[in-house]
């Protein structure tokens, strides 16, 4: 989200305030792009309408394939760094 909105909309860290009574239920949701050449080679970049002279792009164009490779690289490193930083201009 941050890449295509040029940091205009940011994801928040998920926090839960559990109730004192009753069970806590969590549901994980993962979105994975289709594994085909058309989807993995499509270019993503900040949305043009959100850019201006005062708000230039801060992320370079990239593909889902490159984003996922960077994400897995960061996860393997185990240092907690954001894969998104790799795509900053």
């Amino acid at each position: 989200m941050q890449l295509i909105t040029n940091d205009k909309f940011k994801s928040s860290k998920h926090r839960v305030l559990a109730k004192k009574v009753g069970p806590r239920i969590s549901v994980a949701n993962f979105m994975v792009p289709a594994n085909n050449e058309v989807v993995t080679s499509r270019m993503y970049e900040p949305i043009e309408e959100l850019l201006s002279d005062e708000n230039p792009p801060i992320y370079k164009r990239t593909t889902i394939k490159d984003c996922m490779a960077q994400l897995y690289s960061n996860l393997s490193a185990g240092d907690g760094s954001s894969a998104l930083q790799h795509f900053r201009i």
Side-chain angles (χ1 to χ4, degrees), residues 22-77:
R24 175 177 165 228
I25 300 171
S26 297
V27 177
N29 182 13
F30 299 94
M31 295 179 64
V32 179
N35 191 16
N36 66 49
E37 192 59 35
V38 173
V39 173
T40 57
S41 64
R42 179 178 175 191
M43 298 301 292
Y44 291 87
E45 61 189 320
I47 299 169
E48 190 174 321
E49 290 81 5
L50 298 177
L51 303 177
S52 66
D53 290 339
E54 298 81 30
N55 189 33
I58 57 176
Y59 296 103
K60 58 186 172 183
R61 296 179 76 201
T62 189
T63 62
I64 289 291
K65 184 177 181 179
D66 290 340
C67 284
M68 297 303 285
Q70 187 62 42
L71 173 65
Y72 291 131
S73 174
N74 284 34
L75 289 173
S76 296

